[in-house]
Amino acid sequence: MSIHLHGRNTFGDVANTGNLMPVEEAHQLLNEWVPNDRLRLHMKQVAAVMKAWAIEKEQAEELTARKWELAGLLHDADWEKHPDDHCRVIVEELERRNIDPEVIHCIASHGPRYFGVEPNNTMDKMIYVFDELSGFIHASALIRPTKYDGMDVKSVLKKLKTPSFAAQVNRDDITDAIARINTSLEDIIQFILDHQKDVQ
């Protein structure tokens, strides 16, 4: 992924705190902006894992869990049509729609090395953790005859140590993201395996 610095660290308007688009509207935006089925699936998988983490690990109430889900669902919405302005276009679109600033900041910070925005809170840090690993794990599942069935942490770790496999996935980003949280790589992999395998 190339570098597209935002040049700012503040996003949205605090007056819009708690303002989220309905899930149906978010999926409509996804379908309009992202023609690629595989990319849409990736975003749905990240959304599912984010929501599950918020509920299970952060004991989040419904509104907070929906924030996590929305950030995951739209984090790569402009990647396909606007690769040279990823993720500036989706950030500006969500600002126009008066979406909760925490959601917008989360999306803006999902690749700090590329966008120049540091993850601030747990939601920011977890989208950074989940983004690359979710895609990597799905790529690992696709080459297995049984897909996710029977897939374990050990096999994922082995593939991570194979630079030629899914070479576009930046291992340094995964290492950096994991270093920012208090959960092991192994536990994160298991959580993703458990929560994204049935997403369609």
Side-chain angles (χ1 to χ4, degrees), residues 12 16 19-21 70 94-95 97-101 103-104:
N16 297 321
N19 187 26
L20 306 176
M21 67 175 72
L70 186 61
L94 295 178
E95 287 179 324
R97 294 186 186 218
N98 299 321
I99 297 301
D100 188 305
V103 173
I104 303 173

Side-chain angles (χ1 to χ4, degrees), residues 138-156:
H138 189 64
S140 302
L142 288 177
I143 65 167
R144 303 178 76 252
T146 58
K147 302 297 186 275
Y148 281 92
D149 190 32
M151 191 173 174
D152 60 15
V153 172
K154 187 177 178 182
S155 66
V156 175

Side-chain angles (χ1 to χ4, degrees), residues 30 39-47 72-77:
L30 200 66
L39 181 56
R40 276 205 310 273
L41 176 60
H42 164 67
M43 293 157 74
K44 289 175 183 177
Q45 287 176 327
V46 173
L73 193 63
L74 297 180
H75 75 283
D76 279 343

Side-chain angles (χ1 to χ4, degrees), residues 44-102:
K44 289 175 183 177
Q45 287 176 327
V46 173
V49 174
M50 286 285 284
K51 182 179 182 181
W53 186 275
I55 293 169
E56 294 180 26
K57 304 295 186 180
E58 307 298 328
Q59 288 74 53
E61 33 67 51
E62 183 183 357
L63 181 66
T64 300
R66 283 183 56 216
K67 285 186 187 184
W68 285 58
E69 181 182 26
L70 186 61
L73 193 63
L74 297 180
H75 75 283
D76 279 343
D78 56 10
W79 169 252
E80 188 173 2
K81 289 189 175 182
H82 305 279
D84 294 332
D85 281 310
H86 174 58
C87 58
R88 190 175 294 115
V89 176
I90 185 58
V91 159
E92 291 175 356
E93 177 69 20
L94 295 178
E95 287 179 324
R96 275 194 295 274
R97 294 186 186 218
N98 299 321
I99 297 301
D100 188 305
E102 285 192 359

